[in-house]
Amino acid sequence: MYDYLVVGSGLYGAVLTHEALKKGKSVLVIDKRSHIAGNVYTERMEGINVHKYGAHIFHTSGKKVWEYVQQFAEFNHYINSPIANYKGEVYNLPFNMNTFSKLWGTITPQEALAKIQSQQGEIKKDPQNLEEQAISLVGRDIYNKLIKGYTEKQWGRSCNELPAFIIKRLPVRLTYDNNYFNDFYQGIPIGGYTALVDKMLSGAKICLNVDYLKNRESLCLEARNVIYTGPLDAYFNYSLGPLEYRSLRFETEVLPIVNYQGNAVVNYTDRTPAFTRIIEHKHFEFGTQPQTVITREYSAEWKPGDEPYYPVNDEKNMSLCKRYKELAQKEKGVIFGGRLGEYKYYDMDKVIASALNMCKKIL
Ligand code: FAD
Ligand code: UDP
């Protein structure tokens, strides 16, 4: 009998596995997919590490988490600096002096600020929705060209029906700095995320293509404790009703050229084309291969059975989630963790930190 059965080989499960093994515990890891690493899974195509479930850039301000991941991979110096393409015009993201200069011809921070301020006044009271929040942050020109179309494609709803907080996490800078993130540490693991997770799982028994929920009885006999990182509602057979998600669809293509778009991430910020962005994977690792691999990313409505990506942070789903969490607390010998097990949008560094915290409690 194993000490732990870890359901799901994503980052949360991998941290728990690594730390349990270090403490001399025995661990069985299962995953219903045919591969390890969950959503950070990368697959080699044409010598390029392709991010199969969407672009993953590691960024953190947590020194401990940064040092922790260094044990499993060397990280390169990649800095995410996406480009926005609006009807063929290109702009730097996040919103910074380069963006303002291209849009308005402004040169100094004072000129850019004056331009933004001349447009912010349109919103007289506290912003009530994403549209008002965006205009009061950066003005109508940027809202129209770089925010409205992208956001409406991404969320499938009009900007005046979306909560204001979504847009607050995007930096607005009066410096010529194209770094999308404010975090102190950033990079991509050289060789891909799958190799990193593989190293974390080293020493565990791993069984792929095994769905815990379909083999619950027999698997319960295999281990004393369960770490469950699958969907919270599915564990309870959706007894309180399903939690909702936003889904994604990816179209990946190999092209016989060296360089397709000159950048890893290009956002398409108008309503057309229908995809939100194109990822050119080789640029995450400064690849020089003769071919290139690109992925068009479409945002999609989610229905039960689809791959769940983003939890929906509205009141209805949050209160349902709370009720499921009450059930989870009563479940003896089972820990629920990770983005599906907690129904929480977690960046990679946050999911690692949360898993390490759990290790402190239980190991
Ligand atoms: P997962 O990686 O989802 O792992 C859960 C695992 O459990 C899966 O492998 C699944 O197959 C398995 N499983 C589920 N149910 C069962 C079952 N019944 N039986 C057996 N196995 C089961 N974070 C960043 O920091 N930077 C980024 O740039 C970034 N980009 C992202 C882009 C996209 C499109 C998305 C969706 C997320 C992004 N994230 C990013 C977040 C990142 O993906 C997560 O933080 C991380 O993958 C969460 O790990 P996890 O272990 O909780 O979940
Ligand atoms: N956003 C935008 N234009 C862009 C990029 C982002 O309007 O080119 C908005 C959009 O509303 C998005 C939010 O900013 O939902 C947060 O962006 P982020 O890149 O953090 O979202 P992600 O794609 O990682 O979910």
Side-chain angles (χ1 to χ4, degrees), residues 216-231:
R216 229 190 269 233
E217 283 78 25
S218 58
L219 285 166
C220 278
L221 305 173
E222 296 274 351
R224 279 178 274 277
N225 301 286
V226 177
I227 310 287
Y228 177 81
T229 74

Side-chain angles (χ1 to χ4, degrees), residues 5-8 13 37 45 53 65 72 74 94 108 129 186 219 254 269-270 276 283 287 299 329 343 350-351 354:
L5 167 66
V6 173
V7 180
M45 291 172 75
Y53 299 90
V65 168
F72 309 106
E74 192 178 338
T108 65
N129 54 50
Q186 190 172 164
L219 285 166
V254 179
T269 56
D270 192 17
T276 48
H283 297 308
S299 182
Q329 265 171 4
Y343 190 67
K350 301 288 184 318
V351 97
S354 152

Side-chain angles (χ1 to χ4, degrees), residues 244-268:
E244 292 170 319
Y245 291 87
R246 192 88 199 130
S247 200
L248 295 172
R249 185 164 61 79
F250 299 107
E251 271 174 13
T252 296
E253 211 182 324
V254 179
L255 300 174
I257 53 171
V258 174
N259 188 0
Y260 174 72
Q261 62 183 16
N263 205 36
V265 183
V266 177
N267 289 0
Y268 284 78

Side-chain angles (χ1 to χ4, degrees), residues 58-66 182-185 349-350:
F58 198 94
H59 56 97
T60 187
S61 295
K63 192 163 190 225
K64 277 205 182 116
V65 168
W66 182 245
N182 287 325
D183 284 320
F184 201 76
Y185 306 103
D349 63 323
K350 301 288 184 318

